[in-house]
Amino acid sequence: MEVKIGVQHAPREIVLESGQSAEELERVVAEALTGKTGLLSLQDEKGRKVLVPTDRLAYVDIGEPTVRKVGFGAL
């Protein structure tokens, strides 16, 4: 799944590919927002970990990754 995280006062969003399902990612985000740690922690498919303070979250967009088409033919 592709995850885009908007951070307040940051010019660009954070984009990562996760091996988790949309439901799992939604649960992790909800737990971070209601939890005591105040930190959203996600890991991408390459093992990179992203930590964002929950008080700085602007939005979290969870969606399917875009598949790039290769070639000149119209299918």
Side-chain angles (χ1 to χ4, degrees), residues 1-4 15-18 20-23 25 45 61-68:
M1 297 299 290
E2 182 180 62
V3 181
K4 295 179 183 177
V15 180
L16 62 103
E17 291 288 330
S18 176
Q20 296 176 310
S21 69
E23 293 80 20
L25 289 168
E45 291 180 336
D61 182 19
I62 302 170
E64 291 292 327
T66 56
V67 178
R68 296 182 184 177

Side-chain angles (χ1 to χ4, degrees), residues 12-73:
R12 298 189 324 177
E13 62 191 11
I14 300 169
V15 180
L16 62 103
E17 291 288 330
S18 176
Q20 296 176 310
S21 69
E23 293 80 20
E24 291 173 329
L25 289 168
E26 186 176 353
R27 182 183 49 79
V28 168
V29 171
E31 287 176 0
L33 290 172
T34 59
K36 296 178 183 176
T37 62
L39 195 63
L40 173 62
S41 174
L42 296 174
Q43 188 168 357
D44 71 357
E45 291 180 336
K46 297 178 182 177
R48 182 179 68 155
K49 191 171 249 189
V50 176
L51 305 170
V52 180
T54 55
D55 62 339
R56 299 287 182 214
L57 284 176
Y59 62 88
V60 177
D61 182 19
I62 302 170
E64 291 292 327
T66 56
V67 178
R68 296 182 184 177
K69 296 182 181 179
V70 178
F72 296 102

